[in-house]
Amino acid sequence: MSRVTHTTISLPPSRASQLRSIAHAHDCSITDAIELLIRREIKAGRLNDELPGFAAHTGHGNVCLEIGRIGLPPLSPANARVVADFFEATADTDAGEPWRKKVELNSGDMHTLSLTRRGAGIAGRVFCDEMEIEQKFSMTRGMARDFARLIRRAANAA
């Protein structure tokens, strides 16, 4: 079993104040403001359009997903789109709404993905009891939308 870790960023008080001002100007949280800046850099081509720790790529007409240290079984493009919709639906659920869902990744496959809204974020778990593997992860709503976009891009390319 793996443990979810988070990173703390230390800023001088004046920079933290500026970051709060950016968030206030966009009527969002500081985390959302940072994600806004990241999305702008990706759109401008100064940052690769990828999500560290979450990968979606094609292979032999299928879509292969990696979450943390686990490479999931290949998905058909149609199944990959279902997984993308799952991430996006979780991101679009209001923080106060109870949301805990899971999806079997391929029929007959024992890998399961579960997503739960936790506060402003999302807690996830990929597991296969048969193979005794588990990967827990956390992500922001913006990260879930980004991963959904990357999954769809791979599904369209497969």
Side-chain angles (χ1 to χ4, degrees):
M1 186 184 322
S2 62
R3 189 168 171 249
V4 176
T5 59
H6 291 88
T7 300
T8 301
I9 299 172
S10 296
L11 295 172
S14 57
R15 286 291 187 210
S17 176
Q18 288 176 314
L19 190 53
R20 280 191 291 279
S21 293
I22 291 170
H24 181 72
H26 290 280
D27 193 30
C28 64
S29 68
I30 290 175
T31 299
D32 289 340
I34 292 169
E35 289 191 335
L36 175 69
L37 297 171
I38 290 170
R39 280 192 300 277
R40 283 183 183 170
E41 292 301 302
I42 289 171
K43 189 174 182 177
R46 292 184 291 265
L47 189 62
N48 290 336
D49 190 8
E50 59 188 20
L51 186 60
F54 300 88
H57 53 89
T58 60
H60 304 288
N62 291 311
V63 177
C64 302
L65 303 179
E66 295 174 25
I67 298 177
R69 62 178 173 73
I70 293 182
L72 302 175
L75 301 171
S76 71
N79 283 354
R81 287 184 187 93
V82 168
V83 172
D85 290 346
F86 185 44
F87 274 95
E88 200 157 78
T90 304
D92 291 341
T93 304
D94 289 333
E97 278 184 62
W99 176 269
R100 183 182 196 112
K101 305 274 186 202
K102 65 182 181 180
V103 64
E104 198 172 286
L105 295 176
N106 276 325
S107 91
D109 182 17
M110 298 287 112
H111 284 78
T112 302
L113 168 67
S114 70
L115 298 174
T116 305
R117 279 302 307 274
R118 287 250 170 86
I122 297 168
R125 179 175 173 242
V126 176
F127 61 97
C128 178
D129 291 333
E130 187 176 277
M131 296 177 63
E132 298 181 8
I133 59 173
E134 176 183 49
Q135 176 72 54
K136 292 182 179 182
F137 59 93
S138 64
M139 60 186 358
T140 64
R141 293 167 62 176
M143 290 172 66
R145 288 185 188 99
D146 287 348
F147 194 36
R149 185 187 74 255
L150 295 173
I151 293 168
R152 283 192 188 96
R153 182 171 66 197
N156 293 339

